[in-house]
Amino acid sequence: MARNTSSILSSHFVRYNPSVFVYEAPASTTKSDQATTKLGHPDIVLLLSWSGANIKHVAKYIPAYIELYPAAQIILVTSAFTDFVFGSSASKKLQLEPVIQILTANPEARGLVHLFSNGGSHKLWRLAKLYKATQGRLLPMNALVLDSAPGKATFERSAEALAYEMPQAWYLRLPGLALLYLFLFLFWAVVTVTGWTNTIDRVWEELNDPDLITVNATREYIYSKADRLVSWKDVEDHADEAEAKGYQVRKEMFENTGHVAHMRLERERYWSQISSLWSKVQ
């Protein structure tokens, strides 16, 4: 893919708030590719990042999408650990409001949603609930890519996932890890005593709820046996349950790629799956 990520970010992205970025294809590109778009390319690509992702890292997916679907509008929504545990309902609604406005302004748009890890899964869950509450119908999408997701919560995987976001400088990382493990210990103690369903497990369950997520979106699960943060068994269990509930499901399992590293390590295979998925939507 020839396009430079940094130049795309600087020249064609509009930042709506700290979490939402929108790419609009240049007018000349849009006009030249109208015929191609009418042949079945998505009108909107919605990228929901993994928790704590640097914008420059998740933006590496954008040039490939521009290459595949040059006239598509691309919405990038970032995620952070704090989204899981902090913030009022009002602030979380405000964060996603630009996305709701874009989708409601284009009710007939064909959409491809591409989420990463539990952070992206959580963001889709929030967005789907907000869209249904405000619009009275399910979030529109034609295809759904689940990269390294969804996973279930365990103490060990939660610790690894949160440590992944910690700064690398030892003088920041060591006290941060100490506070992290204290927080997780107290959190899991509460979960064990009360029997409360944590947010990650609730998201895992409700992404397979036909009353929240449309069964009309064909799914592609992309995952790996080498992923240390999200178990491939959790992903396959979710895919199998989705299929049993009427969702159209495709599974692509990698052997040696780490968490959200499939595209970086096996680029051609990765984008071949995305392109093939969308071709099945038509």
Side-chain angles (χ1 to χ4, degrees):
M1 306 301 175
R3 305 199 185 205
N4 180 271
T5 300
S6 60
S7 65
I8 290 170
L9 284 173
S10 61
S11 59
H12 297 298
F13 262 92
V14 175
R15 185 176 185 174
Y16 280 73
N17 62 37
S19 299
V20 177
F21 303 78
V22 178
Y23 169 86
E24 299 283 0
S28 58
T29 302
T30 304
K31 291 177 182 178
S32 66
D33 287 292
Q34 281 180 349
T36 303
T37 302
K38 289 179 181 178
L39 291 175
H41 288 187
D43 302 302
I44 295 175
V45 174
L46 176 60
L47 298 176
L48 305 173
S49 84
W50 60 95
S51 181
N54 186 301
I55 184 69
K56 292 181 180 180
H57 294 157
V58 72
K60 293 183 184 296
Y61 292 79
I62 292 165
Y65 269 120
I66 294 173
E67 187 80 14
L68 285 172
Y69 313 121
Q73 182 181 45
I74 301 175
I75 306 170
L76 169 60
V77 184
T78 61
S79 177
F81 163 66
T82 52
D83 294 340
F84 286 91
V85 293
F86 301 116
S88 64
S89 296
S91 65
K92 291 175 180 178
K93 178 179 178 181
L94 187 63
Q95 181 190 64
L96 293 172
E97 192 62 38
V99 184
I100 298 293
Q101 291 175 358
I102 292 170
L103 296 178
T104 54
N106 301 276
E108 302 302 319
R110 293 162 300 208
L112 187 159
V113 177
H114 190 154
L115 66 80
F116 302 86
S117 191
N118 285 332
S121 300
H122 177 257
K123 199 67 74 174
L124 175 60
W125 176 70
R126 285 277 180 199
L127 182 61
K129 289 170 73 71
L130 178 59
Y131 191 91
K132 184 177 181 181
T134 57
Q135 306 302 315
R137 58 184 186 273
L138 299 185
L139 182 72
M141 68 179 93
N142 301 82
L144 173 61
V145 179
L146 302 99
D147 183 324
S148 308
K152 290 185 175 180
T154 67
F155 182 90
E156 294 79 7
R157 291 187 185 277
S158 297
E160 280 208 55
L162 295 177
Y164 187 76
E165 293 190 41
M166 289 287 174
Q168 294 303 308
W170 68 269
Y171 55 87
L172 295 175
R173 189 172 182 83
L174 290 180
L177 287 173
L179 291 173
L180 164 65
Y181 282 107
L182 176 61
F183 169 80
L184 284 177
F185 176 80
L186 295 174
F187 174 81
W188 281 103
V190 171
V191 169
T192 302
V193 170
T194 65
W196 174 65
T197 301
N198 64 76
T199 301
I200 291 176
D201 286 348
R202 187 177 175 192
V203 169
W204 193 95
E205 294 170 2
E206 294 190 10
L207 288 187
N208 274 343
D209 181 357
D211 290 328
L212 182 65
I213 305 295
T214 177
V215 296
N216 295 325
T218 304
R219 297 184 175 191
E220 177 86 36
Y221 291 84
I222 300 177
Y223 55 106
S224 173
K225 283 190 173 181
D227 191 333
R228 296 174 58 188
L229 303 187
V230 170
S231 169
W232 64 273
K233 293 181 180 179
D234 289 349
V235 176
E236 289 204 337
D237 286 347
H238 196 270
D240 292 344
E241 181 181 290
E243 200 164 28
K245 290 187 174 182
Y247 292 92
Q248 295 296 311
V249 169
R250 292 155 45 108
K251 293 182 284 189
E252 185 72 6
M253 184 172 69
F254 292 70
E255 292 291 334
N256 301 306
T257 54
H259 192 63
V260 296
H262 322 304
M263 190 276 285
R264 179 169 56 86
L265 297 176
E266 294 198 42
R267 187 182 187 87
E268 289 188 11
R269 177 183 174 188
Y270 189 91
W271 289 110
S272 175
Q273 289 302 122
I274 304 298
S275 179
S276 173
L277 169 68
W278 187 258
S279 70
K280 300 297 182 183
V281 169
Q282 310 310 312

